[in-house]
Amino acid sequence: QAIQAINGHTDMSAEEFTNIIFQKIDVNNDGELTLEEFITGVERDEDLMDLITKNFDLSNVLKVIQNG
């Protein structure tokens, strides 16, 4: 949530973000994601890759840290 706030992407809650991830890439619907499922799912879904990239972009976090 903090990374989203710093990056200005507060339009989605952490729960909503997690639900999107699971809906798109939990292929066996067991409610768990293996690393393999996650990597494969993200590689196959350009929109999901974009969403994750934006939500976990740490460049602004580093700027905040550097500037105190």
Side-chain angles (χ1 to χ4, degrees):
Q1 288 174 333
I3 294 169
Q4 287 180 323
I6 289 171
N7 287 330
H9 299 289
T10 57
D11 56 332
M12 184 183 312
S13 73
E15 291 81 13
E16 291 170 317
F17 180 78
T18 302
N19 288 337
I20 289 172
I21 300 283
F22 273 82
Q23 287 172 0
K24 288 183 172 268
I25 61 179
D26 183 17
V27 294
N28 60 2
N29 294 316
D30 66 353
E32 297 181 3
L33 286 180
T34 64
L35 181 57
E36 183 178 315
E37 278 180 311
F38 181 80
I39 292 171
T40 302
V42 172
E43 287 176 339
R44 290 182 181 168
D45 191 316
E46 189 174 318
D47 293 333
L48 186 56
M49 177 65 89
D50 186 51
L51 178 66
I52 289 173
T53 301
K54 286 179 183 174
N55 278 281
F56 292 108
D57 177 11
L58 296 177
S59 60
N60 289 325
V61 174
L62 294 175
K63 287 178 190 174
V64 169
I65 292 170
Q66 289 173 341
N67 295 328

